């Protein structure tokens, strides 16, 4: 079965960076888009962007442009999301989620399988 | 302010049916059949329960159904069960030039 296992909780100071990992198993990693979605405490879901694990290409929500980097290591079936210049309002649970569509098509598919989430706390 | 509008809460008794609506615009729900619904229990990751407006992933109960009319999508849960108590989020692909996917603010379902 599909499993997405994320790295553990992080505490960061304002201005620092955080890198969250998402290790995939149970399917061919390079076939499906990987999305990142975050959820601030007590708030709703917010789409951040996606990476094409096959090509390494990515697309981000404009509000994260310049601060987010999405990468992958196909040798260990792992996707990464790095967010820099952290602010207090970046405190959230960050999820990776596998897209329903394959990378041969547009990234219009919903988010099928989700990681368990990684809590990132930004505090001085 | 979420891009898609959902009512904050809804409630129903076991066995009843409830409907959660999700209102967007002609740039998202109105233009695409890429509407999905997620169920989220406290402290858990969201779970996909409806995609492409009406489709159910394998293993999701047929008590969950989705529909769309114009700029509004709806999720109906029939035969309410205690375990249905959760937050429900709608989502849609969007033609916005600032992001690909938008979510609703979530609806808290209480099973009385």
């Amino acid at each position: 079965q599909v499993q997405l296992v994320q790295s553990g909780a992080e505490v960061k100071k304002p201005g620092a960076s955080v890198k969250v990992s998402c290790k995939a198993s149970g399917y061919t990693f390079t076939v499906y888009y990987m999305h990142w979605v975050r959820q601030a405490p007590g708030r709703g879901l917010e789409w951040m962007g996606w990476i094409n694990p096959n090509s390494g290409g990515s697309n981000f929500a404009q509000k994260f442009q310049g601060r987010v980097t999405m990468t992958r290591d196909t040798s260990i079936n792992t996707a990464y999301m790095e967010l820099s210049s952290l602010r207090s309002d970046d405190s959230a649970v960050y999820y990776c989620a596998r897209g329903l569509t394959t990378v041969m098509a547009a990234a219009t598919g919903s988010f099928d399988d989700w990681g368990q989430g990684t809590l990132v706390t930004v505090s001085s | 302010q979420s891009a898609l509008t959902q009512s904050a809460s809804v409630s129903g008794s076991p066995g009843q049916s409830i409907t959660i609506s999700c209102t967007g615009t002609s740039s998202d729900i109105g233009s695409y059949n890429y509407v999905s619904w997620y169920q989220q229990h406290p402290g858990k990751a969201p779970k996909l329960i409806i995609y492409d407006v009406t489709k159910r992933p394998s293993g999701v109960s047929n008590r969950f159904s989705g529909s769309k009319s114009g700029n509004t999508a709806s999720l109906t849960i029939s035969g309410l069960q205690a375990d249905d108590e959760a937050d429900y989020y709608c989502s849609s692909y969007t033609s916005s030039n600032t992001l690909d996917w938008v979510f609703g603010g979530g609806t808290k379902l209480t099973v009385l």
Side-chain angles (χ1 to χ4, degrees), chain A residues 7-73:
Chain A
S7 48
E10 303 261 15
V11 179
K12 297 291 182 181
K13 293 193 182 304
S17 297
V18 67
K19 190 172 185 177
V20 179
S21 68
C22 171
K23 182 170 178 61
S25 62
Y27 72 99
T28 303
F29 176 65
T30 53
V31 170
Y32 295 91
Y33 291 97
M34 189 71 78
H35 295 262
W36 290 88
V37 176
R38 75 178 185 178
Q39 185 172 34
R43 305 293 296 276
L45 301 168
E46 180 177 31
W47 179 80
M48 298 181 67
W50 56 254
I51 183 169
N52 176 334
N54 186 50
S55 67
S58 56
N59 185 41
F60 316 124
Q62 189 176 80
K63 71 175 288 185
F64 300 108
Q65 294 279 356
R67 286 208 301 142
V68 70
T69 305
M70 293 181 185
T71 57
R72 90 292 189 219
D73 184 338

Side-chain angles (χ1 to χ4, degrees), chain B residues 27-94:
Chain B
S27 296
D28 38 68
I29 293 176
S31 288
Y32 300 100
N33 287 325
Y34 300 127
V35 177
S36 46
W37 290 88
Y38 301 88
Q39 177 192 60
Q40 186 178 35
H41 286 108
K44 301 293 187 182
K47 174 188 175 183
L48 178 66
I49 56 174
I50 295 289
Y51 69 98
D52 293 355
V53 182
T54 62
K55 299 176 182 177
R56 280 188 309 276
S58 173
V60 173
S61 171
N62 59 8
R63 297 185 300 106
F64 295 92
S65 62
S67 63
K68 186 186 88 165
S69 177
N71 296 338
T72 299
S74 298
L75 170 71
T76 297
I77 308 174
S78 60
L80 273 179
Q81 299 177 358
D83 188 53
D84 296 334
E85 185 162 297
D87 293 324
Y88 291 84
Y89 293 92
C90 60
S91 181
S92 174
Y93 188 76
T94 174

